[in-house]
Amino acid sequence: MKQVDRSEKIHQLLKDRTFIVASNRGPVEFRTDEDGIIRPHRGAGGLVSALEGALQTAQVTWVASAITAEDEIMVNNAGGDPLRIPPEDPTYNVRLIPIGDRTYHRYYNVISNLLLWFIQHYLWDIPIWPDIDEGTHHAWQEGYRVVNRSFAEEIVRAAGGDEAPVIMLQDYHLYLCARYIRDKLPEAVIQHFTHIPWCQPDYLRLMPRYMKDEIIEGLLSCDCVSFHTDKYARSFLWSCMELTGYDVDLADSTVQVGPRKVLVSHHPISIDWRQLQENASGEAVESEKPNVLRMAGGKRMLLRIDRIDFSKNIVRGFKVYRRFLDKYHEWWGKVVFVALLYPSRLGLVKYRKYIETLEHEVEELNDEFSTRSWQPVVLSVEDNYSQSLAALLEYDVLLVNSLFDGMNLVSKEGAALNTRNGVIILSENAGSFDELEEGVIPINPLDIEEGADAINTALLMDAGDRKRRASIMAEKVRSHTAEDWLLDQIEDILP
Ligand code: F6P
């Protein structure tokens, strides 16, 4: 189906419906510009680009947390009305929910980021960490539940009296929301999409019983629960089988909850590659190119681009590179590892310490191997989108060694943008692995020896093989667009 047909189809399916999307981070974030004026800036994350198509074709209301101080000012100025975005030529509504600092900390840092993120990415070190203590229970009761209720109330308000709005809830921040919405709008059509892995039921059992019960009950209050991959969808079905009394039909991929049949589906998120290419050919990226090439110093460029998160396995990535240098001396002076890393979740001590750990690892590597004409690792810790796009155009090898990763959009962006038939080394535990498998060099993210050999193999790969793999991957990414992703989900709930 052509892009325009897909947009039309989305439009047709949603045209007489009230359509509401909800996520913790919204499509815009208000900030004060240098001239002192508050303006909306595009929200961070792949979700925004993937849903942009729908924003053009449907009258959507997006409900999100008010994150900046300016977000709150805008909400207060609007006096309860939604914000029209973009202000000069509005195509959709945004409702931002002001949440007190302490409540937000409990909901976002303690529960969403430390408990749910860590458990769903298998990041707990259970012999020593974490202790589920009074603080965790309190954060659940006085943070996570409270914010999920606020989202539900705002969504009901956004429905404006429509008894059966179409509601798409996003991610692990909003697991309880559907249940609260159902109490008020029993006829609503609700879908929830989890953008991170869904872990095995035994691992989930480590969570306090009432929390996992509320999560599963919350999700099963939807008409459809979706994930990026078949594996995560199956883990969810098994969790329902083992942790609830509901009938699960694996063949049908459904869970029978009283009179309702809940569909469990999987739809890998895509990137808006046309928009990405347009961004990558802009002036800002052009002017970053010389900087990026300077970082690589005329050597072969091994690249990684990541949000600084434990799931990305960044420190072990440097260990892999160290082993590669130890084992393959012939590459000394000929390769530079360019690591472009985005600070993230700085409200948590754990994340701040992780930055120190990886900086230390890089310092040691550079101390040990640097010569007068070669620095083996160049590290940049900043949020610099243009720099990242310039690097994606230019890498020779892209390393994605996530421990677990819901999807991993960097691997897809690299496949869509790179101009050198660059090779991608990809963790078997990244969601994108299912789609890119044929083109990548697969690695086990814990296996240092395999990772080191993979870098050598990638650098030695002949031009024909690189070209063949690069075109397979580019074709994969381009043949499944962000609009396909959205349409597939809408067809699950409005067949
Ligand atoms: O990977 C899922 C995801 O929700 C991404 O969309 C986003 O990059 C990240 O997790 C959440 O990051 P943050 O905590 O900065 O909102």
Side-chain angles (χ1 to χ4, degrees):
M1 215 192 296
K2 281 207 222 99
Q3 200 190 358
V4 68
D5 299 338
R6 281 186 294 259
S7 303
E8 183 49 30
K9 187 121 197 252
I10 293 172
H11 179 69
Q12 285 305 324
L13 284 168
L14 293 172
K15 82 174 172 350
D16 299 320
R17 314 292 300 241
T18 306
F19 179 39
I20 301 167
V21 170
S23 59
N24 177 51
R25 277 185 200 276
V28 284
E29 193 174 279
F30 288 90
R31 277 184 256 130
T32 308
D33 287 341
E34 277 169 9
D35 57 7
I37 296 177
I38 298 180
R39 291 198 183 83
H41 292 260
R42 193 157 177 262
L47 182 65
V48 174
S49 6
L51 285 173
E52 244 174 6
L55 301 182
Q56 311 303 323
T57 54
Q59 272 299 315
V60 64
T61 297
W62 199 314
V63 177
S65 300
I67 291 179
T68 64
E70 290 90 334
D71 285 351
E72 294 208 11
I73 294 172
M74 294 303 292
V75 174
N76 290 336
N77 291 349
D81 289 335
L83 304 167
R84 303 281 295 134
I85 302 292
E88 59 290 352
D89 180 20
T91 54
Y92 62 98
N93 294 325
V94 173
R95 287 179 171 272
L96 299 177
I97 308 170
I99 302 164
D101 286 353
R102 292 171 79 84
T103 308
Y104 192 78
H105 169 74
R106 293 171 192 133
Y107 145 83
Y108 177 71
N109 285 326
V110 182
I111 300 298
S112 301
N113 290 343
L114 278 180
L115 187 101
L116 299 173
W117 181 273
F118 273 69
I119 203 155
Q120 290 191 238
H121 289 86
Y122 301 91
L123 294 172
W124 277 359
D125 183 5
I126 53 174
I128 46 176
W129 186 84
D131 292 334
I132 294 177
D133 55 15
E134 196 264 332
T136 320
H137 290 286
H138 188 249
W140 182 270
Q141 286 145 18
E142 300 302 324
Y144 196 70
R145 278 185 194 154
V146 174
V147 175
N148 271 262
R149 265 189 211 288
S150 301
F151 265 82
E153 282 160 17
E154 197 63 39
I155 288 167
V156 171
R157 204 167 298 134
D162 186 342
E163 303 273 315
V166 177
I167 302 166
M168 295 177 84
L169 304 170
Q170 309 297 318
D171 238 345
Y172 53 99
H173 312 90
L174 301 179
Y175 284 146
L176 312 185
C177 202
R179 163 107 194 277
Y180 303 145
I181 296 171
R182 275 267 174 255
D183 289 345
K184 301 273 192 263
L185 298 174
E187 300 304 318
V189 179
I190 313 177
Q191 186 244 18
H192 185 284
F193 199 103
T194 301
H195 291 262
I196 61 177
W198 190 271
C199 61
Q200 303 282 319
D202 269 349
Y203 204 67
L204 213 56
R205 272 185 227 278
L206 292 169
M207 238 196 261
R209 203 171 308 112
Y210 76 94
M211 291 186 195
K212 65 177 188 285
D213 287 352
E214 282 178 49
I215 288 173
I216 295 181
E217 283 299 324
L219 288 172
L220 292 178
S221 301
C222 298
D223 299 281
C224 176
V225 180
S226 303
F227 300 87
H228 285 311
T229 71
D230 185 27
K231 209 168 23 178
Y232 309 151
R234 267 183 284 132
S235 286
F236 180 74
L237 286 164
W238 285 326
S239 303
C240 293
M241 229 157 36
E242 295 200 13
L243 307 172
T244 76
Y246 298 125
D247 280 342
V248 174
D249 186 332
L250 286 178
D252 241 18
S253 202
T254 55
V255 184
Q256 191 71 43
V257 183
R260 282 184 311 108
K261 209 177 247 243
V262 181
L263 176 67
V264 179
S265 64
H266 69 278
H267 301 294
I269 196 170
S270 320
I271 54 167
D272 187 345
W273 61 268
R274 287 187 187 86
Q275 183 62 51
L276 188 73
Q277 281 191 334
E278 204 179 308
N279 297 347
S281 56
E283 252 174 56
V285 175
E286 204 49 49
S287 69
E288 280 292 344
K289 255 192 216 165
N291 300 336
V292 166
L293 293 174
R294 206 170 308 121
M295 284 177 176
K299 326 277 184 207
R300 307 284 293 278
M301 189 199 301
L302 169 67
L303 175 71
R304 79 170 304 141
I305 301 179
D306 281 301
R307 201 167 52 73
I308 301 179
D309 192 278
F310 295 87
S311 63
K312 307 294 181 185
N313 201 18
I314 298 169
V315 173
R316 198 175 276 104
F318 292 127
K319 289 187 180 161
V320 163
Y321 184 60
R322 170 189 289 279
R323 177 64 187 138
F324 159 77
L325 292 177
D326 277 338
K327 195 167 173 181
Y328 300 102
H329 292 196
E330 62 274 27
W331 287 110
W332 288 14
K334 295 183 184 149
V335 186
V336 172
F337 190 176
V338 175
L340 307 182
L341 305 177
Y342 288 55
S344 175
R345 302 181 183 169
L346 297 177
L348 290 168
V349 180
K350 246 182 165 348
Y351 277 73
R352 296 200 295 273
K353 284 205 173 138
Y354 190 53
I355 298 184
E356 284 169 23
T357 312
L358 63 91
E359 282 174 340
H360 180 72
E361 193 68 35
V362 170
E363 250 171 53
E364 287 207 328
L365 248 164
N366 281 337
D367 281 354
E368 191 175 331
F369 291 94
S370 287
T371 64
R372 254 193 278 169
S373 57
W374 176 54
Q375 183 181 318
V377 186
V378 174
L379 171 67
S380 155
V381 176
E382 63 174 317
D383 188 336
N384 188 339
Y385 181 61
S386 301
Q387 184 184 61
S388 297
L389 291 187
L392 285 173
L393 292 166
E394 299 295 336
Y395 68 79
D396 295 292
V397 181
L398 179 67
L399 175 66
V400 178
N401 66 325
S402 319
L403 291 167
F404 285 95
D405 212 330
M407 174 49 65
N408 192 277
L409 293 180
V410 172
S411 52
K412 291 192 167 184
E413 288 163 349
L417 279 189
N418 186 260
T419 56
R420 296 178 176 237
N421 293 328
V423 182
I424 301 181
I425 299 174
L426 184 60
S427 162
E428 289 163 343
N429 292 343
S432 59
F433 187 78
D434 289 4
E435 290 163 274
L436 301 181
E437 183 174 4
E438 229 188 306
V440 301
I441 300 184
I443 51 164
N444 171 320
L446 300 183
D447 190 337
I448 301 225
E449 207 58 26
E450 185 183 45
D453 293 343
I455 298 176
N456 183 52
T457 307
L459 290 167
L460 289 178
M461 193 178 285
D462 68 67
D465 202 6
R466 282 195 283 121
K467 187 161 188 231
R468 187 185 60 80
R469 287 169 184 256
S471 54
I472 290 174
M473 292 189 290
E475 176 51 27
K476 275 270 179 206
V477 172
R478 287 175 194 171
S479 63
H480 187 247
T481 65
E483 274 170 327
D484 290 323
W485 176 70
L486 184 67
L487 182 56
D488 289 347
Q489 292 173 76
I490 294 173
E491 286 179 334
D492 276 351
I493 45 178
L494 300 175

